[in-house]
Amino acid sequence: MAALESPLPGTPTAMRNAFGNVLSVLILVLIGVLAFSIRLFSVIKYESVIHEFDPYFNYRVTQFLSKNGIYEFWNWFDDRTWYPLGRVIGGTVYPGLTLTAGTIWWGLNSLNIPLSVETVCVFTAPVFSAFASWATYLLTKEVKGSGAGLAAAALLAMVPSYISRSVAGSYDNEAVAIFALIFTFYLYIKTLNTGSLFYATLNALAYFYMVCSWGGYTFIINLIPMHVLLCIVTGRYSPRLYIAYAPLVVLGTLLAALVPVVGFNAVLTSEHFASFLVSFFSIISQLFCYVFIIIHVVALVYYIKGILSPKMFKVAVTLVVSIGMVVCFIVVAILVALVASSPTGGWSGRSLSLLDPTYASKYIPIIASVSEHQPPTWPSYFMDINVLAFLVPAGIIACFSPLSDASSFVVLYIVMSVYFSGVMVRLMLVLAPAACIMSGIALSQAFDVFTGSIKYQLGASSNSTDDAEDNTSTNNAPKDDVSAGKTDKGEEIVKERSSKKGKKKEREPADKPSVKAKIKKKALVLPLEASIVALLLLIMLGAFYVIHCVWAAAEAYSAPSIVLTSQSRDGLHVFDDFRESYAWLSHNTDVDDKVASWWDYGYQTTAMANRTVIVDNNTWNNTHIATVGTAMSSPEKAAWEIFNSLDVKYVLVVFGGLIGYPSDDINKFLWMVRIGGGVFPHIKEADYLRDGQYRIDSEATPTMLNSLMYKLSYYRFVETDGKGYDRVRRTEIGKKHFKLTHFEEVFTSHHWMVRLYKLKPPRNRIRGKAKKLKSKTSSGLSSKSAKKNPWV
Amino acid sequence: MVKSTSKDAQDLFRSLRSAYSATPTNLKIIDLYVVFAVFTALIQVVYMALVGSFPFNSFLSGVLSCIGTAVLAVCLRIQVNKENKEFKCKRKTIKTKLGGFLWECGYV
């Protein structure tokens, strides 16, 4: 921030400040518009529709909320999913997103602007991304100044990683959660800088909003204590730190316990008194609470140090340390013994897989099967944060000169987020704001130096040359080495003492003498041509970034995945099979009919077809999913038995072989086998593999060719082209002509993408003695296989 | 050795007490309030240990709100302390402290 006093009105500096402020407000408005409009590609290319799978669930919940009001929503027990178990929606969903959209819808409708719930849901994400870029501006302004803030906000508005989760139509938790994350961090830094309790209270409220919105609030709850510890350890403890942290812990925990999903997890994993001491603070908030205790200790120490003489203080220290050591040792020994006795020490599967990336693939196939939980590849870094990837190191270095509490916080933030993004692709989203902040700082510093040099050189050429010589003394500052990737020149860039704002107007020849005196000690002024070339190169870098972001938004991240398109010689083909089949389901079946499919399609089926499903994307019950997986991998009769025991009437299968859609159920079949085999041992993966591969051609194993998934996918497929050529697997299928005995086909969509089958009712009677014997043996066999099925 | 350490300890306590009595009265009132709040929280923990933790949310809200007022009182003390050079205005902080306190009352 500028060290000048606030100028008298009417003076040139005041005018310049006012102009600067107006300009930055205008820029911020433009950034908001940019953030909003870059996310609208899918609405323009397709239509205003909700994308993917998870957003359909959120949309259905918002519909319920808007129809029935908040009390019904809070106590909602959903019986149309996870049949026959049902799901407690009120207690298992993060309400932030739906409550936000519901409030917006309610507000607009009471102003007599009749937007439908779907429109509000589709456009919530772009609106909140505009808010998120404004929050980034505020946060970076606290760290380095408003020039860096504007740069960071502009970068965040366009960064592809954030766009991918917040396009218009992607109505998911991250849309509002990222805004809440950045805003909470901003308020924390603001409290740290000003020490005002007002901001501390606001901080707790923003944290509450974050807890409501996303499971990623644990990131905040671990990062802030880590930063506090870092400050204490590096000797930067101050009363402001206490004010920033302690109220947040108490108020934040209190508020977090209000959210039903979090509930007592905020404080405790088990209520049994015997393990009270060990698990009183669940692993989610352990760091939170221990640092709470630590900061009190440190505060007390500083207080006592302040009121005692040094000799007495030394005595106090030795006394306390000796007693404390003994007590600590005992307590730690007890803790270690108790924690080691529980199998995983209280960590949940997903958090464990964050620390040990190979954990999930070994022990929990369901977590391993979600593609978002895989570690990212190198190209995905460049795709998602592009140019920022090499501006970030420059920003980190810029944060160290000078190192303040706020800049140490953003350095810690980026280091942690880089680590976690390396474990799970999905967490690249948390990296994006950190990368933007760092790059904004780096860019603004660079611009400062270059434009300063240009101005100085232009000014110096009109002054005497001696002054120019005086000021070109170099300063050995090894830490100011900038990575070569940023510009092609290898100059040293040194910080300048004058204001770091991007307001170039403030540096005029009138201030030159005082500025010169300050610069004399440390500055290096670059030659004019070099500065101009470097500026141009930086602008080109920005241009490349913008081009990449717009391309990524338009081509890569705007697909709604419920409608597919493909370009061919005849023009644009649109595949709307999903919605076609959900509409068929909702029009041609009874309201109470149950539909079984793989869990990916559960949310969409309940939202669009309005039918009860067996398993859906929430995947909270592994055994239930394994049952469906077993049914899909079993022969027809066994599968019929399983489905009949679940009251299923229809089976939905997604098949991409006719048009080449690669994410169909046959490609997902290996997960059905693995998950099913994980719970029911009679499904062995080796039975389905030939030479270690899943095959559906003539080399496939008999178990594979007899499985329900194969039969339901390829029934009558040979009629399409006479040979049964599967475009995804690129072979002809193995068993081409077969009849279904226990299922009948009721619907196949236009491009054969979705196929619906109905369970045939059991036969009334079996005629004849021979048939009776046969049926006896077959029923004996089936009862044997059915006996292994725990659902019969 | 033990004798010297015990003598040191006595010196320590004496100097602590003398230093503390030098603090201005308004700060001492705040300190008393903090002690009272922590004491209330401790009573609740002991009660819970004796009687059992059902219903847990009332225990949580009771303890946390007590600790919360303690923390906020400490913050107030930090801001009001004239020796603390970073803060100036006293009147503003009373308002903010009240604001936080009322929030907590709302959530109990």
Side-chain angles (χ1 to χ4, degrees), chain A residues 194-198 201 205 208 237-240 242-243 246-247 249-251 253-255 257-258 263-264 267-268 271 273 276 280 292 296 303-304 307-309 311-313 315-316 319, chain B residues 5 8-9 11-13 15-16 19-20 23 31 48-49 53 56-57 59-61 64-65 67-72 74-79 84 86-87 93 96-97 99-100 103-104 107:
Chain A
T194 59
S196 138
L197 261 186
F198 172 64
T201 334
L205 287 177
F208 172 54
Y237 172 79
S238 74
R240 288 172 291 124
Y242 182 85
I243 293 183
V249 172
V250 182
L251 285 177
T253 314
L254 202 55
L255 291 172
L258 284 178
F264 299 149
V267 174
L268 171 34
E271 283 118 288
F273 181 64
F276 196 70
F280 180 70
F292 184 60
H296 276 97
Y303 173 68
I304 292 188
I307 62 173
L308 281 185
S309 67
K311 185 177 134 281
M312 283 287 108
F313 183 65
V315 170
L319 198 66
Chain B
T5 44
D8 277 338
D11 282 339
L12 174 68
F13 283 125
S15 61
L16 263 179
Y20 185 67
T23 58
D31 289 340
M48 194 219 76
S53 69
F56 193 65
N57 33 1
F59 162 70
L60 257 192
S61 59
L64 280 182
S65 56
I67 297 189
T69 55
V71 164
L72 288 178
V74 175
C75 292
L76 177 64
R77 188 187 196 285
I78 289 176
Q79 291 183 339
N84 213 328
E86 302 180 28
F87 300 96
T93 58
T96 42
K97 197 256 173 180
W103 269 115
E104 293 215 76
Y107 280 107

Side-chain angles (χ1 to χ4, degrees), chain A residues 41-274:
Chain A
F41 276 104
S42 67
V43 174
I44 298 171
K45 286 169 72 170
Y46 300 88
E47 59 179 284
S48 163
V49 73
I50 300 207
H51 297 190
E52 302 272 324
F53 302 112
D54 281 1
Y56 273 100
F57 171 68
N58 295 325
Y59 171 55
R60 180 164 163 254
V61 175
T62 319
Q63 267 183 321
F64 185 87
L65 172 68
S66 62
K67 230 181 282 179
N68 303 19
I70 189 164
Y71 287 108
E72 289 294 316
F73 164 74
W74 222 240
N75 297 320
W76 187 18
F77 178 81
D78 188 18
D79 56 351
R80 305 210 31 106
T81 173
W82 293 93
Y83 186 84
L85 303 165
R87 177 185 171 186
V88 181
I89 300 270
T92 57
V93 83
Y94 280 100
L97 175 71
T98 45
L99 286 178
T100 310
T103 318
I104 295 178
W105 174 85
W106 174 84
L108 286 177
N109 268 29
S110 40
L111 289 175
N112 284 324
I113 306 173
L115 285 183
S116 74
V117 179
E118 181 172 17
T119 318
V120 171
C121 291
V122 164
F123 288 101
T124 301
V127 167
F128 271 85
S129 59
F131 293 160
S133 31
W134 293 339
T136 316
Y137 164 74
L138 291 171
L139 174 56
T140 323
K141 188 165 93 135
E142 285 299 314
V143 177
K144 269 294 181 184
S146 46
L150 290 174
L155 290 174
L156 186 83
M158 292 188 291
V159 65
S161 151
Y162 185 33
I163 289 183
S164 70
R165 301 293 300 200
S166 67
V167 278
S170 173
Y171 181 56
D172 208 351
N173 287 337
E174 287 91 348
V176 292
I178 297 296
F179 161 67
L181 181 83
I182 304 177
F183 198 56
T184 311
F185 284 154
Y186 158 64
L187 287 173
Y188 173 67
I189 298 290
K190 185 92 182 171
T191 321
L192 200 55
N193 279 345
T194 59
S196 138
L197 261 186
F198 172 64
Y199 283 108
T201 334
L202 281 185
N203 191 15
L205 287 177
Y207 171 68
F208 172 54
Y209 184 53
M210 178 72 192
V211 172
C212 283
S213 313
W214 197 31
Y217 72 91
T218 50
F219 186 67
I220 298 188
I221 216 176
N222 283 306
L223 187 65
I224 291 189
M226 257 198 264
H227 177 244
V228 170
L229 262 184
L230 182 73
C231 282
I232 290 178
V233 161
T234 55
R236 303 182 72 93
Y237 172 79
S238 74
R240 288 172 291 124
L241 190 68
Y242 182 85
I243 293 183
Y245 184 63
L248 174 67
V249 172
V250 182
L251 285 177
T253 314
L254 202 55
L255 291 172
L258 284 178
V259 180
V261 188
V262 177
F264 299 149
N265 283 344
V267 174
L268 171 34
T269 50
S270 119
E271 283 118 288
H272 186 50
F273 181 64

Side-chain angles (χ1 to χ4, degrees), chain A residues 296-298 300-301 304-305 308 312-329, chain B residues 5 8-9 12-13 16:
Chain A
H296 276 97
V297 171
V298 172
L300 197 65
V301 165
I304 292 188
K305 194 172 187 178
L308 281 185
M312 283 287 108
F313 183 65
K314 239 184 259 178
V315 170
V317 165
T318 44
L319 198 66
V320 166
V321 164
S322 49
I323 299 180
M325 278 299 215
V326 177
V327 171
C328 260
F329 191 65
Chain B
T5 44
D8 277 338
L12 174 68
F13 283 125
L16 263 179

Side-chain angles (χ1 to χ4, degrees), chain A residues 42 45-53 56 59 118 122 560-565 574-588 601 604-605 607-610 652 654 747-751 753-754 756:
Chain A
S42 67
K45 286 169 72 170
Y46 300 88
E47 59 179 284
S48 163
V49 73
I50 300 207
H51 297 190
E52 302 272 324
F53 302 112
Y56 273 100
Y59 171 55
E118 181 172 17
V122 164
S561 85
I562 191 152
V563 176
L564 307 164
T565 60
V574 176
F575 301 104
D576 209 1
D577 289 40
F578 284 105
R579 293 197 288 178
E580 178 189 349
S581 32
Y582 295 132
W584 187 94
L585 254 186
S586 78
H587 287 292
N588 294 300
Y601 314 107
Q604 285 183 346
T605 313
M608 281 196 273
N610 197 24
L652 186 149
V654 169
F747 178 75
T748 299
S749 66
H750 188 221
H751 300 101
M753 272 176 65
V754 181
L756 286 167

